[in-house]
Amino acid sequence: MRARDDLSMENLEDSCASLRTQIAAIEAQLEGLKRDLANAEAAVKSEADSTGKPHEGQNDAGNRWPLLPEEYKRYGRQMIVSQIGLRGQLKLRAAKVLLVGAGGLGCPAAQYLAGAGIGTLGLIDGDTVEISNLHRQVLHRGKNVGKYKVDSAIEALRELNPHPTYIAHRTHLTPEEAPAIFEKYDLILDCTDNPATRYLISDTAVLMGKSLVSASALRTEGQLIVLNNPPRRPGEKDGGPCYRCVFPKPPPADSVVSCADGGIIGPVVGTMGVLQALEAIKVLTAPETDTAADGSAPHEAPVMQIFSAFSNPQFRSIRIRSRRANCAVCSAEASVTLDTIASGSTDYVFFCGSATASSLLGPDERVSPEEYREKHPLINTRTNGEPEGSHTVIDVRDKAQFGICNLENSINIPISNFLASAPLSTADLKASQLPSWLPSELASPESNEPIYVVCRLGNDSQIAVKKMKELGLDRNGQRYIGDIRGGFRAWREQLDPDWPEY
């Protein structure tokens, strides 16, 4: 009997907990609907202000002010700036902005847009938070490692400002989904880091009639540009240029470097993200312009902002051309349409190429870290400057990465040296003809020691192997030159779990 009573009490407690959870969810949904209603009412009032018509339903018994009392306190310092004012604040409150990417650019951009009072903020990102993100992606916290970035970001944004409506898109942007997602927003921010996605975002934004604020950052430098501003249909010459107008051809696939490979200083990408938020606010609050004599709307010439943290001055502007007459997206001769995007006919990966280096070398030119250790149980050591052992290890990471961690007695020759060298004939393989950065002992005719090349991920090492063979260092196959497959990431997984992961 007692057991049944205990079970009955447990079921009642579970029911109470379930009901509390449902009530909390419905209350949160109700708060969201209230915010959406407030944004819609603000948009109506903003439209009435611009036309001079009275506000529908406004009377002495109604709300006298368009903003909530707390909002006047929250945004007051912003509204007293003449370029914003109450009208600008209402425009921000009614605006719907989509950020593609919730990383180094998206975090500071979202933070300042939420703080400014944007009515609806959408974030799209399919990645999860990693500990390597935290030094620059300032919305994320250590407790959220493993959580979707969009969820982690929105959690922090709600603490900053509960008034906006936040929408999470837990996915990577795809051509099939992009038009339907963009349709719900007024302005797009490109906060991504790869060319294929950049072209997809720009193409979709132009065809959907949306302006786009695009930025990028790497190492100590960044760039920013506002595209398709003012937004115009393809073929209309007075519209702002798109990404294809500025960059008709993508960069070579093997020249594209990510933050993971090239590195990034946190405040650099933070600066570019903050500038994106600023440009977004400028676009959204821009006053109505008068029509020019030719019937077009006058607007400022588009410029690209270049930032370099270690230069003086740090900022410079480059004026860019208007829409290209033969642009594949925004010209009268456009070949890219919403149909070609959604159907997959416009292949962005093919257009931008693939940076995958997995097929550069044959199987006999590659060894795994475990295979390397089996062939050479001990890393060669040096006594009195002379090598002991039967092979040479060349590390082609840059000097900074080599200084973080390296194999004992490995030789550091950055990949940039290999890429800058022209092929040499066998007759040129003598000390006077070798590149200055190449140790003379590597080209010694008396040495048949095999050479193993290693890098961080196993891509640059393959390029270096091919370059060394082009230099003739393998003596027409008489000497083995190969790479350690997977680089130091695989080295850590297979041999040394204490190897620093960065």
Side-chain angles (χ1 to χ4, degrees):
M1 184 69 177
R2 171 96 182 210
R4 285 202 302 269
D5 290 342
D6 290 343
L7 182 59
S8 177
M9 180 61 69
E10 184 177 336
N11 290 337
L12 285 173
E13 290 176 350
D14 289 344
S15 297
C16 290
S18 176
L19 288 170
R20 291 191 194 99
T21 301
Q22 293 180 53
I23 290 171
I26 292 172
E27 287 178 344
Q29 184 179 9
L30 179 60
E31 287 300 316
L33 291 172
K34 287 180 178 178
R35 286 193 296 269
D36 291 343
L37 175 60
N39 291 335
E41 290 174 342
V44 171
K45 184 181 185 306
S46 177
E47 180 65 22
D49 284 340
S50 64
T51 60
K53 296 179 181 179
H55 303 302
E56 189 175 323
Q58 182 178 3
N59 51 46
D60 292 340
N63 185 12
R64 295 175 57 194
W65 312 111
L67 296 176
L68 300 173
E70 196 270 344
E71 290 180 297
Y72 281 100
K73 291 182 180 180
R74 181 181 287 268
Y75 308 126
R77 302 296 188 275
Q78 179 169 282
M79 287 192 291
I80 62 177
V81 176
S82 60
Q83 288 88 343
I84 303 295
L86 176 60
R87 178 175 296 185
Q89 191 62 49
L90 291 172
K91 287 183 177 180
L92 295 178
R93 194 188 195 200
K96 297 181 179 180
V97 178
L98 175 67
L99 292 85
V100 185
L105 293 167
C107 280
Q111 201 165 15
Y112 275 94
L113 289 176
I118 296 296
T120 300
L121 271 180
L123 289 85
I124 177 169
D125 198 314
D127 290 337
T128 57
V129 179
E130 299 177 1
I131 195 168
S132 62
N133 303 147
L134 301 182
H135 90 283
R136 66 193 184 281
Q137 299 180 17
V138 293
L139 283 178
H140 307 310
R141 300 293 180 264
K143 66 178 183 179
N144 285 339
V145 168
K147 193 173 185 177
Y148 274 111
K149 285 185 177 181
V150 291
D151 293 334
S152 173
I154 289 175
E155 177 183 308
L157 293 173
R158 283 203 174 105
E159 292 182 4
L160 172 67
N161 189 352
H163 293 290
T165 298
Y166 301 103
I167 301 175
H169 301 275
R170 303 174 188 87
T171 182
H172 295 292
L173 188 69
T174 64
E176 296 77 17
E177 297 176 339
I181 294 175
F182 281 28
E183 185 179 14
K184 304 172 185 176
Y185 297 91
D186 307 315
L187 179 67
I188 314 298
L189 271 65
D190 180 353
C191 305
T192 63
D193 62 358
N194 71 85
T197 306
R198 290 189 180 281
Y199 282 102
L200 167 61
I201 293 170
S202 175
D203 293 353
T204 307
V206 170
L207 296 171
M208 298 295 295
K210 318 288 184 181
S211 291
L212 170 66
V213 183
S214 179
S216 62
L218 183 67
R219 298 190 181 100
T220 64
E221 299 180 342
Q223 66 181 37
L224 171 80
I225 187 171
V226 181
L227 300 167
N228 196 36
N229 185 44
R232 295 290 186 268
R233 290 192 296 270
E236 297 184 9
K237 297 180 180 180
D238 62 328
C242 70
Y243 195 76
R244 286 183 188 262
C245 293
V246 183
F247 304 105
K249 295 182 179 180
D254 57 4
S255 71
V256 177
V257 180
S258 67
C259 291
D261 293 329
I264 183 69
I265 297 179
V268 172
V269 69
T271 296
M272 304 316 298
V274 171
L275 288 175
Q276 279 187 282
L278 175 60
E279 291 299 327
I281 291 172
K282 288 167 60 179
V283 170
L284 293 170
T285 61
E288 299 296 330
T289 55
D290 296 328
T291 302
D294 61 358
S296 63
H299 56 273
E300 296 180 359
V303 297
M304 178 183 292
Q305 301 289 345
I306 305 294
F307 173 72
S308 182
F310 287 84
S311 296
N312 189 14
Q314 293 179 320
F315 288 94
R316 58 191 177 97
S317 300
I318 300 175
R319 181 166 293 187
I320 59 176
R321 61 184 298 171
S322 56
R323 286 186 167 185
R324 288 180 177 266
N326 61 345
C327 178
V329 178
C330 64
S331 72
E333 304 174 6
S335 58
V336 177
T337 66
L338 290 176
D339 288 338
T340 67
I341 292 176
S343 67
S345 300
T346 302
D347 191 330
Y348 291 95
V349 175
F350 177 79
F351 175 68
C352 294
S354 173
T356 302
S358 58
S359 60
L360 284 180
L361 301 179
D364 58 336
E365 298 174 289
R366 314 195 72 188
V367 296
S368 69
E370 291 176 334
E371 292 169 336
Y372 165 80
R373 178 55 59 84
E374 289 176 3
K375 291 183 177 181
H376 306 282
L378 296 176
I379 299 175
N380 59 310
T381 59
R382 294 177 184 269
T383 305
N384 298 324
E386 295 298 324
E388 290 183 2
S390 58
H391 68 290
T392 299
V393 177
I394 297 178
D395 187 330
V396 296
R397 296 174 299 162
D398 61 38
K399 185 176 180 180
Q401 294 188 56
F402 186 78
I404 295 174
C405 53
N406 59 77
L407 295 176
E408 184 181 2
N409 298 316
S410 59
I411 301 172
N412 182 216
I413 306 177
I415 187 63
S416 56
N417 292 338
F418 290 95
L419 296 175
S421 295
L424 296 176
S425 65
T426 304
D428 291 330
L429 284 177
K430 50 187 179 180
S432 60
Q433 298 294 330
L434 288 175
S436 59
W437 49 264
L438 187 67
S440 58
E441 60 266 24
L442 291 183
S444 171
E446 290 78 23
S447 175
N448 282 318
E449 289 184 356
I451 298 175
Y452 297 90
V453 185
V454 66
C455 66
R456 187 181 177 197
L457 301 175
N459 296 328
D460 288 345
S461 57
Q462 296 185 70
I463 298 172
V465 168
K466 290 186 69 68
K467 290 290 183 180
M468 292 178 75
K469 290 186 175 183
E470 290 176 1
L471 287 171
L473 296 178
D474 67 332
R475 292 196 286 276
N476 294 321
Q478 298 179 27
R479 182 189 203 179
Y480 178 82
I481 301 178
D483 88 313
I484 297 178
R485 187 171 61 247
F488 284 117
R489 176 174 293 179
W491 185 277
R492 184 177 189 275
E493 293 172 352
Q494 299 179 22
L495 297 180
D496 187 358
D498 294 329
W499 188 266
E501 182 179 13
Y502 63 92

